[in-house]
Structure formats: C-alpha cells, structure tokens
Amino acid sequence: MPTPQAIRPPTAFASAAVDWESTLAFRRHLWSHGLGVAEAMDTAQRGMGLDWAGAAELIRRSAAEAKAVGGRIACGVGTDQLPGGPAPTLAEVTAAYEEQLALAEEHGVQPILMASRALVRAARGPEDYLATYAHLLRQASEPVILHWLGPMFDPALEGYWGSTDLDEATDTFLKVIAEHPDKVDGIKISLLDAAREIDVRRRLPGGVRCYTGDDFNYPELIAGDERGFSHALLGIFDPLGPLAAHAVRVLDTGDVAGFRALLDPTVELSRHLFQRPTRFYKTGVVFLAWLAGHQDHFTMVGGLQSARSLPHLATAYELADGLGLFPDPDLAAHRMRALLAVHGGAR
C-alpha cells in the first residue's frame, strides 16, 4: 500500500471522458444551418477542460466529420502541451506551436493561432512576439487566423503582444500582419471593446479580415458601417445557432434593420452568459445545449458545470426561453425543474 505522500489525486483534466457522439452531433447541427465551426480553441476546452491529447483528438474527429458533411472548420493552434513550472524558452514555445500547427495542416483545417499563456511567460517584450509569429507565419502553408484574447477571458494573457498598454499592443500585432499579409487570413479580436475593434478593423491591410469575438457588441460590429464590418467568430453563436444563421442570411440581402431586429434581442442573454468571470461562459452554453436536447446530461470535463450559480443558470433559461431557442420548450422546462429539484428549489 502506498504511503500517504505517494498518493496523488487525479487532476481535473486527466483522461477526460468525452461524449463524442453528442459532441459531433452538435457540430453537425451547426453545419446544417450553414454555420462554420471554430474547434478546439474555446477557453473551456484549452487549458480549462482538455489537455493537448484530448484537444488533438477533438481536432481529428471534428475534421473528419467536417469532410464527411462538407462543413467549414477552423481549429485552434496553441502551446498548451507545455508543462507548468518555470517559464519556457522561446524555442520551446515555438516548437509547441509548430507541433499543433502541423496537426491542423495534416487534417486539412484552417489554423487559428491562439494567444499563448506560455508566450506571455517567455517573452521579454514586443520583439519576442514579432519574432515568434514571424517564424510561425513563414512556416504556415496557408493563411491563418490570429487570435487576440483579452484577460477577461483568460487572466494569464494580461500584457499580450508585449504590453499592458492596449495601443502599444495593437501596434505590435498590426506590425505582425503588415509584415506577412499573405499569410494572415484575419484577426479575431476578443477584447469586448467595440470602439477598439472598429479602429483595428479600419487599420487592417486590404484582404485581411476582422473576426469579432465581442460577445457584448456583436450585432453592431457584424452589421458594420460604410467603412467595413466584422465577420462573426463568436461563442454566443453556439446557443443561438439557427437564429443567428437566419439573421446573417437576412443581412446578406442588405436588410440591416431586419438583421438587427433579430439579433439585438439576443444581446441580453449573451452579456449574461459572458458576465465576469467571463472565462466560465461555457458553463451556460453547455447548460443551454442540455436544455435544448443536444445532450442527455449537464456534465463538463473538469467539473466546470459547477462554475456558475443556480440563479445564473435559471436566468439563462428564462432569457433563452424568451428568445424561443428551445426546439422542445416542454423538455427544457422539465429539465430545468429537475435541476431545481436537485438543489431544493423546485416550484
């Protein structure tokens, strides 16, 4: 029998048991409505729920499913296989990125170069970000999407691009793009700051897209203005699904007012799901997927189903129900009552 010192409790993310059928079925649901899937880049998947081995398997399976049904897919490329502890070297960060980039390209998915916690720890200033991204972009066989994820989504990313001054950080990543415009499809901005996103959008080189990750201000950013618009690469489009797809089709006809009439009422739900601590937004997203019948349980890897309070989830249910998001409202109500009953709050 091992001594107490030798006993190690399992980590929250070790050997996560994934419901692959429900996971892939939900991707097929999104593709069926004409939406694309941004895979293995969510804050609840990378560094908060799945280790790199699990994320790699997710990429492989989703890529195969996308090919089978003709769905569009992009996948996150990061450095989360690096161990914790002392800060890694820049060479180690680059090698980790290269490993994941190779996997994405092997399976024919568009890479999204995610912001790296390890790079924050390794970099001494903007020049290290410029050198690291330049190396990766030279290696990429096709244009990639860059991702600037703010600290509201992940506090460990404070000071990304080498500065806590957002103007200086913006100048650095725009320099990355300006030096490699042929290798950058676009930049996803997740700062929850509409004015800054619009400013960045107007400063991008021609042909480089701006993808909004602003789950607070997305209708106005997608609708755009006379000087451009942002493409949608949003977590909130997961629970909105069919409604969001319909709204975008309306916008494609030039009916901006009709688009806003459909999407503006969803902002209250989105702001609720993404309230601080924002990194736990996926709890509400998975909760709504369960209520909508996309899975038969409300369980998340790492136990993240407990990351939001019962009142928070109850409000999410009420807002989603008011938007008509549940294909079977009776099922959603039954499951909501069951959850309340477990916690002694059923009415």
Side-chain angles (χ1 to χ4, degrees):
M1 181 175 180
T3 65
Q5 291 82 359
I7 297 175
R8 294 184 178 181
T11 66
F13 311 141
S15 302
V18 179
D19 180 351
W20 290 115
E21 178 49 40
S22 294
T23 296
L24 297 176
F26 193 82
R27 274 72 179 157
R28 293 192 295 270
H29 157 70
L30 294 174
W31 285 319
S32 73
H33 292 284
L35 297 172
V37 170
E39 188 62 273
M41 62 174 293
D42 185 85
T43 49
Q45 294 170 335
R46 308 297 294 272
M48 286 180 63
L50 290 181
D51 59 12
W52 165 235
E57 183 65 14
L58 181 62
I59 290 172
R60 294 186 191 98
R61 289 176 182 253
S62 294
E65 198 73 18
K67 290 177 182 177
V69 303
R72 182 181 178 184
I73 186 170
C75 290
V77 167
T79 62
D80 49 316
Q81 71 270 51
L82 292 173
T89 65
L90 286 174
E92 289 171 333
V93 172
T94 301
Y97 265 127
E98 289 174 331
E99 178 187 1
Q100 297 199 16
L101 179 61
L103 178 77
E105 293 189 335
E106 175 188 350
H107 291 278
V109 301
Q110 183 175 29
I112 301 175
L113 292 187
M114 300 169 63
S116 165
R117 297 171 179 173
L119 183 53
V120 173
R121 296 164 60 212
R124 294 160 300 191
E127 65 283 353
D128 287 338
Y129 287 85
L130 291 170
T132 299
Y133 277 89
H135 178 87
L136 295 170
L137 290 173
R138 284 194 297 268
Q139 288 200 355
S141 60
E142 299 291 340
V144 307
I145 297 174
L146 304 181
H147 189 195
W148 185 2
L149 188 70
M152 67 289 295
F153 287 96
D154 187 343
L157 296 176
E158 181 75 41
Y160 209 75
W161 304 109
S163 177
T164 56
D165 183 298
L166 290 182
D167 291 333
E168 293 179 4
T170 298
D171 288 342
T172 299
F173 95 75
L174 284 174
K175 186 174 181 180
V176 170
I177 297 171
E179 292 178 353
H180 307 275
D182 59 323
K183 288 297 186 73
V184 179
D185 169 278
I187 171 76
K188 177 184 178 181
I189 304 175
S190 300
L191 298 177
L192 305 183
D193 183 337
R196 181 166 295 277
E197 179 173 324
I198 292 171
D199 175 67
V200 169
R201 188 172 74 197
R202 292 173 177 173
R203 296 169 63 186
L204 291 174
V208 176
R209 298 179 178 92
C210 179
Y211 292 92
T212 187
D214 189 332
D215 298 279
F216 282 9
N217 306 291
Y218 51 94
E220 65 184 90
L221 291 166
I222 298 170
D225 54 30
E226 68 283 355
R227 296 176 62 182
F229 64 93
S230 296
H231 296 261
L233 210 171
L234 290 159
I236 191 56
F237 271 26
D238 182 314
L240 294 183
L243 189 158
H246 175 55
V248 171
R249 286 193 293 269
V250 169
L251 182 61
D252 283 344
T253 70
D255 184 1
V256 176
F259 166 79
R260 295 295 298 267
L262 288 165
L263 218 53
D264 282 359
T266 69
V267 172
E268 184 179 4
L269 171 64
S270 188
R271 292 192 174 203
H272 177 72
L273 295 179
F274 285 80
Q275 67 182 235
R276 295 182 178 180
T278 304
R279 63 187 181 278
F280 294 136
Y281 79 89
K282 195 59 177 255
T283 299
V285 169
V286 172
F287 171 68
L288 295 181
W290 172 59
L291 293 182
H294 293 294
Q295 56 194 62
D296 58 10
H297 58 83
F298 176 40
T299 304
M300 300 174 67
V301 295
L304 286 177
Q305 70 276 3
S306 63
R308 293 295 203 188
S309 69
L310 187 61
H312 175 91
L313 298 177
T315 299
Y317 162 73
E318 292 172 352
L319 292 172
D321 187 51
L323 292 168
L325 296 185
F326 300 127
D328 185 342
D330 290 337
L331 174 65
H334 171 75
R335 290 184 168 181
M336 187 70 232
R337 285 193 295 268
L339 182 67
L340 291 171
V342 168
H343 294 278
R347 294 196 297 268

